[in-house]
């Protein structure tokens, strides 16, 4: 009789390598023993079969804040198994797509990813580090929709696609209109379908110093992912925007429907409040997550993708160390890398 290798810490611990080793065992117990082995095997098989399949695939095209124009905020999101992506912000496009292709995240050309895979852009606010990739790549892009709050789209229309700053590739604003892009203003409180995808989106305003930024709650079937543009904490911004957002998503956290939160941490804790300019530190992020935990009951194990870390490298290292040292809520902190896919 050959042995059955089992892990040391398994409930099914005993290993019999020869029939002789069975002699000390009461033979009347053998049927129960083998039934136990069978149940262990069936339990492992059922656990493997019920493992939850991923709901979303996220491809970071740019992950940093700051001065590196080749790696600024942009994240492609699609339902798992689909190539119908949306792009959350568009600070960097071409360089990020090229890196994803090099990493074999995509098995087609960067040109095809830009033109065919990205079905629309969701711009959280109109600062250049969140939209410059869209503007620069517009001559080579295909027809699609730009989504955002009305105030954000107005800035794009009156400051970028103007013919004074750049050609007007949109279907509104300065003449002549090249009509490649269509503006679609989103209103808080309304979930809308995303064109050419099976996803829906709802928006929430955020406070980013003297500017309104945006959080996008994306739904695919019964699963959600939340992306926040640049945002300050309520305690610094003297706002209730974050509180309102956490109240809205807390039920999704309770029911494990919220698969990930993508949220910025731009500066280490040493940054003075007066020079945060509408951004978060590790301390402020954990304060906000504590608010969410109180509303949801727990956030232990919740995927939190930390975005918009600002160089220099020493600051980024410090931010990561501070988050690691102070994570009492048990968050699953994830640091995205440009051109490497994440699944949730």
């Amino acid at each position: 009789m050959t042995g059955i290798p089992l892990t040391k810490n398994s409930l099914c611990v005993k290993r019999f390598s020869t029939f002789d080793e069975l002699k000390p065992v009461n033979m009347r117990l053998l049927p129960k023993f083998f039934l136990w082995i069978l149940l262990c095997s069936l339990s492992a098989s059922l656990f493997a079969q019920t493992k939850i399949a991923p709901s979303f695939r996220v491809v970071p095209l740019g992950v940093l804040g700051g001065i590196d124009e080749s790696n600024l905020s942009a994240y492609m999101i699609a339902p798992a198994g689909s190539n119908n992506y949306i792009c959350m912000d568009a600070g960097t496009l071409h360089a990020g797509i090229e890196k994803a292709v090099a990493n074999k995240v995509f098995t087609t050309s960067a040109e095809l990813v830009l033109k065919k895979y990205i079905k629309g852009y969701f711009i959280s606010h109109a600062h250049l580090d969140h939209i410059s990739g869209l503007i620069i790549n517009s001559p080579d892009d295909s027809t699609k929709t730009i989504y955002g709050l009305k105030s954000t789209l107005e800035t794009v229309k009156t400051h970028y696609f103007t013919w004074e700053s750049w050609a007007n590739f949109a279907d509104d604003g300065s003449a002549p209109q090249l009509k490649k892009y269509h503006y679609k203003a989103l209103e808080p409180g309304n979930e809308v379908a995303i064109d050419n995808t099976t996803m829906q989106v709802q928006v929430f305003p955020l406070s980013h110093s003297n500017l309104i930024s945006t959080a996008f709650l994306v739904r695919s079937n019964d699963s959600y992912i939340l992306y926040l543009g640049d945002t300050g904490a309520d305690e610094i911004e003297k706002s209730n925007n974050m509180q309102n957002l956490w109240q809205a998503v807390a039920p999704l956290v309770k029911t494990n429907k919220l698969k990930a939160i993508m949220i910025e941490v731009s500066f280490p804790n040493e940054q003075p409040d007066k020079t945060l300019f509408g951004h978060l530190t590790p301390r402020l992020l954990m304060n906000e997550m504590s608010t969410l935990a109180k509303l949801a009951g727990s956030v232990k194990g919740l995927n939190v993708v930390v975005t918009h870390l600002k160089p220099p490298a020493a600051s980024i290292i410090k931010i990561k160390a501070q988050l690691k040292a102070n994570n009492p809520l048990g968050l699953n902190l994830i640091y995205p890398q440009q051109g490497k896919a994440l699944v949730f």
Side-chain angles (χ1 to χ4, degrees):
M1 179 178 178
T2 59
I4 304 171
L6 300 168
T7 59
K8 183 178 181 181
N9 296 320
S10 171
L11 289 175
C12 310
V13 173
K14 185 71 175 170
R15 181 176 184 265
F16 300 101
S17 59
T18 69
F19 186 77
D20 288 340
E21 292 184 48
L22 286 173
K23 287 180 180 178
V25 179
N26 188 329
M27 299 300 285
R28 288 175 298 180
L29 297 179
L30 282 179
K32 291 183 179 180
F33 171 76
F34 286 114
L35 178 60
W36 185 28
I37 294 292
L38 178 61
L39 289 174
C40 286
S41 300
L42 287 173
S43 297
S45 175
L46 288 171
F47 179 79
Q49 291 176 20
T50 56
K51 187 177 180 180
I52 299 174
S55 300
F56 295 98
R57 191 179 196 228
V58 177
V59 182
L61 303 182
V63 303
L64 300 178
I67 62 173
D68 184 355
E69 66 269 20
S70 70
N71 193 6
L72 298 173
S73 297
Y75 296 85
M76 293 173 64
I77 299 176
S82 171
N83 283 326
N84 295 327
Y85 287 85
I86 55 177
C87 197
M88 293 294 168
D89 283 327
T92 294
L93 291 181
H94 182 75
I97 295 172
E98 288 277 15
K99 187 159 286 190
V101 171
N103 290 334
K104 303 194 183 310
V105 172
F106 301 118
T107 56
T108 188
S109 67
E111 179 185 12
L112 187 63
V113 173
L114 176 67
K115 290 185 175 182
K116 299 295 185 182
Y117 286 14
I118 297 177
K119 304 300 183 181
Y121 300 101
F122 288 75
I123 306 302
S124 65
H125 62 294
H127 283 167
L128 278 170
D129 58 329
H130 291 257
I131 196 171
S132 59
L134 167 59
I135 297 166
I136 295 297
N137 283 271
S138 55
D140 294 327
D141 205 352
S142 58
T143 301
K144 56 194 63 166
T145 301
I146 303 174
Y147 301 82
L149 293 174
K150 183 178 179 181
S151 58
T152 300
L153 298 183
E154 191 67 22
T155 301
V156 178
K157 181 171 66 176
T158 58
H159 288 73
Y160 299 133
F161 290 143
T162 63
W163 290 106
E164 287 84 10
S165 299
W166 200 253
N168 183 11
F169 283 95
D171 60 0
D172 192 9
S174 303
Q177 299 160 5
L178 301 181
K179 302 184 185 299
K180 179 175 287 188
Y181 298 128
H182 171 66
Y183 297 122
K184 188 167 186 176
L186 302 174
E187 295 183 4
N190 295 331
E191 183 182 71
V192 301
I194 302 172
D195 296 341
N196 302 308
T197 78
T198 58
M199 296 179 288
Q200 292 76 34
V201 67
Q202 186 176 353
V203 297
F204 299 84
L206 301 174
S207 181
H208 179 38
S209 191
N210 61 347
L211 188 73
I212 298 297
S213 183
T214 317
F216 298 101
L217 181 63
V218 178
R219 178 170 68 87
S220 175
N221 296 321
D222 205 26
S223 297
Y224 295 79
I225 190 167
L226 177 65
Y227 173 84
L228 286 79
D230 292 356
T231 184
D234 279 350
E235 66 177 271
I236 306 297
E237 299 291 314
K238 310 303 180 186
S239 164
N240 293 319
N241 284 331
M242 295 290 268
Q243 176 75 23
N244 294 337
L245 177 62
W246 303 142
Q247 287 177 336
V249 303
L252 304 179
V253 176
K254 284 184 181 179
T255 53
N256 296 315
K257 293 180 180 179
L258 185 63
K259 303 305 178 182
I261 295 176
M262 306 175 68
I263 185 169
E264 69 123 288
V265 179
S266 296
F267 298 108
N269 288 329
E270 290 78 6
Q271 189 80 3
D273 289 353
K274 64 182 180 181
T275 56
L276 285 175
F277 305 115
H279 291 291
L280 295 177
T281 64
R283 178 185 69 82
L284 293 171
L285 171 67
M286 289 303 170
N287 287 351
E288 293 295 338
M289 291 294 98
S290 293
T291 299
L292 176 58
K294 290 175 184 176
L295 294 167
S298 173
V299 292
K300 186 176 182 180
L302 179 64
N303 295 316
V304 175
V305 182
V306 182
T307 67
H308 207 265
L309 287 84
K310 282 181 175 282
S315 291
I316 294 176
I317 291 170
K318 187 176 288 186
I319 290 170
K320 292 180 178 180
Q322 290 172 349
L323 287 170
K324 183 178 180 180
N326 182 31
N327 183 15
L329 301 170
L331 300 168
N332 182 30
L333 298 171
I334 299 167
Y335 299 97
Q337 298 180 58
Q338 186 180 34
K340 294 188 177 181
L342 301 168
V343 292
F344 300 106

